Amino acid sequence: MREKGRCVLSGEEAKALAHLLPRLVGEGGARYREGWWELTAQALPLLEAYASESPPPSKREAYERLGNDKRSARPSGVEVAVRGVGEGRRALGLAPDFPEGAYAVFPLEVLLSRAEGLPLVLVENLEAFLRYRGEGLEVLGERERREHPADYILLYRGDGARTRPLPWGEALRGYAGEVLLAFDLDPAGLAMAEGLVAELPRWGLVVPEGPARLALYREAMAKPEMRERYRSQVERVDVGRFAREPFASLWEEMAEMAVAVPQERYLA
């Protein structure tokens, strides 16, 4: 880079520097071109400072730091995958060079400091995180129904089968903005959302708009695996938890149809 004024990162190098890329882009030290990250000479001071510091923890080490105590202080050192939409891209420092729809990895505390009170949308699985869009979705609160925001930051909840899940209610408890929960339309997804809202001062549930939601239920009724998925989950979930709104109304329609609708299906 000193000789030529620029260099192209390999995929592994870009992954290793993922948490630095937003700052590098913001300061003119990095740009994204046709599938490759390119660093310019402006990146040198930041890279030299980074090289002199201790290396960041791996994801495995970060999750292990959480321990078993769900009531501990907000986790530090944990990295989260994010996508910015509208003003969310600007707030994260990913516009204009970062490709629309691409995602970045940030330490949790860096993400929260950059989010500027924008709505955070927490999604349940990776496919939904990659395909998510707000069109055709609405937000349900305890006493309201409204359109999905146009500007937001999307968070991937993580794969609980591979790592211990991050306690998101605790991690986002003090966030100044609203946290929207977009999970599967099934008993397990509803229970997961209900378990988080007790720790969130401002929250909402993201679901397909009414007519589209009913159409998805009816479509799922023709699939034996979706009926079985609902049946097996009902046996494991305490449905008495769904007494407050909007959980009560969602549970009523879900129980009437007796089917599950995966999140990725309503984002198709």
Side-chain angles (χ1 to χ4, degrees), residues 217-230:
Y217 286 134
R218 295 190 182 100
E219 175 189 88
M221 291 173 70
K223 300 178 180 179
E225 65 273 20
M226 291 297 102
R227 298 199 303 271
E228 173 58 25
R229 176 168 167 170
Y230 170 87

Side-chain angles (χ1 to χ4, degrees), residues 24-81:
L24 288 167
V25 170
E27 298 185 15
R31 53 192 172 188
Y32 192 87
R33 287 187 164 188
E34 300 176 357
W36 298 94
W37 280 104
E38 181 182 79
L39 299 185
T40 67
Q42 289 98 311
L44 273 173
L46 276 175
L47 293 176
E48 289 169 344
Y50 170 68
S52 67
E53 297 171 355
S54 299
S58 67
K59 286 186 174 60
R60 177 183 294 277
E61 291 169 336
Y63 276 104
E64 286 174 350
R65 287 182 183 180
L66 297 180
N68 295 319
D69 182 7
K70 299 272 183 167
R71 306 302 302 178
S72 60
R74 174 181 287 166
S76 62
V78 176
E79 297 174 330
V80 293

Side-chain angles (χ1 to χ4, degrees), residues 1-121:
M1 196 190 309
R2 286 191 177 94
E3 292 175 359
K4 298 184 179 180
R6 66 184 183 88
C7 74
V8 174
L9 298 180
S10 70
E12 285 302 308
E13 289 167 337
K15 183 178 179 182
L17 294 174
H19 63 295
L20 273 185
L21 287 175
R23 184 176 174 189
L24 288 167
V25 170
E27 298 185 15
R31 53 192 172 188
Y32 192 87
R33 287 187 164 188
E34 300 176 357
W36 298 94
W37 280 104
E38 181 182 79
L39 299 185
T40 67
Q42 289 98 311
L44 273 173
L46 276 175
L47 293 176
E48 289 169 344
Y50 170 68
S52 67
E53 297 171 355
S54 299
S58 67
K59 286 186 174 60
R60 177 183 294 277
E61 291 169 336
Y63 276 104
E64 286 174 350
R65 287 182 183 180
L66 297 180
N68 295 319
D69 182 7
K70 299 272 183 167
R71 306 302 302 178
S72 60
R74 174 181 287 166
S76 62
V78 176
E79 297 174 330
V80 293
V82 300
R83 284 177 53 203
V85 178
E87 284 298 302
R89 292 183 74 221
R90 181 200 60 76
L92 295 176
L94 303 180
D97 297 313
F98 202 77
E100 193 78 45
Y103 71 91
V105 177
F106 286 86
L108 176 63
E109 55 269 29
V110 174
L111 162 69
L112 296 178
S113 69
R114 287 174 174 261
E116 299 181 357
L118 286 164
L120 302 179
V121 181

Side-chain angles (χ1 to χ4, degrees), residues 16-259:
L17 294 174
H19 63 295
L20 273 185
L21 287 175
R23 184 176 174 189
L24 288 167
V25 170
E27 298 185 15
R31 53 192 172 188
Y32 192 87
R33 287 187 164 188
E34 300 176 357
W36 298 94
W37 280 104
E38 181 182 79
L39 299 185
T40 67
Q42 289 98 311
L44 273 173
L46 276 175
L47 293 176
E48 289 169 344
Y50 170 68
S52 67
E53 297 171 355
S54 299
S58 67
K59 286 186 174 60
R60 177 183 294 277
E61 291 169 336
Y63 276 104
E64 286 174 350
R65 287 182 183 180
L66 297 180
N68 295 319
D69 182 7
K70 299 272 183 167
R71 306 302 302 178
S72 60
R74 174 181 287 166
S76 62
V78 176
E79 297 174 330
V80 293
V82 300
R83 284 177 53 203
V85 178
E87 284 298 302
R89 292 183 74 221
R90 181 200 60 76
L92 295 176
L94 303 180
D97 297 313
F98 202 77
E100 193 78 45
Y103 71 91
V105 177
F106 286 86
L108 176 63
E109 55 269 29
V110 174
L111 162 69
L112 296 178
S113 69
R114 287 174 174 261
E116 299 181 357
L118 286 164
L120 302 179
V121 181
L122 186 64
V123 297
E124 184 170 347
N125 60 62
L126 182 59
E127 184 176 355
F129 174 73
L130 297 174
R131 296 168 53 182
Y132 192 92
R133 63 187 189 279
E135 293 82 359
L137 303 179
E138 63 182 3
V139 177
L140 305 181
E142 291 185 90
R143 288 178 289 274
E144 65 172 349
R145 182 188 304 266
R146 53 193 162 85
E147 293 182 354
H148 191 286
D151 305 301
Y152 57 93
I153 294 171
L154 196 67
L155 299 178
Y156 171 40
R157 189 180 70 95
D159 184 353
R162 299 179 184 175
T163 56
R164 183 169 340 125
L166 178 66
W168 282 103
E170 175 188 338
L172 301 178
R173 186 188 301 149
Y175 182 61
E178 183 178 43
V179 179
L180 304 179
L181 307 172
F183 294 167
D184 290 345
L185 281 175
D186 57 26
L190 203 59
M192 196 182 306
E194 192 277 337
L196 287 176
V197 299
E199 299 189 80
L200 301 175
R202 298 178 59 195
W203 58 271
L205 302 185
V206 176
V207 295
E209 295 172 343
R213 193 163 68 247
L214 293 177
L216 287 167
Y217 286 134
R218 295 190 182 100
E219 175 189 88
M221 291 173 70
K223 300 178 180 179
E225 65 273 20
M226 291 297 102
R227 298 199 303 271
E228 173 58 25
R229 176 168 167 170
Y230 170 87
R231 186 196 64 77
S232 65
Q233 290 185 7
V234 164
E235 295 175 353
R236 303 193 305 267
V237 170
D238 177 11
V239 299
R241 297 166 55 183
F242 306 144
R244 63 188 290 193
E245 291 294 346
F247 300 99
S249 297
L250 278 174
W251 170 241
E252 182 179 356
E253 65 183 39
M254 193 181 296
E256 180 181 353
M257 299 297 184
V259 291

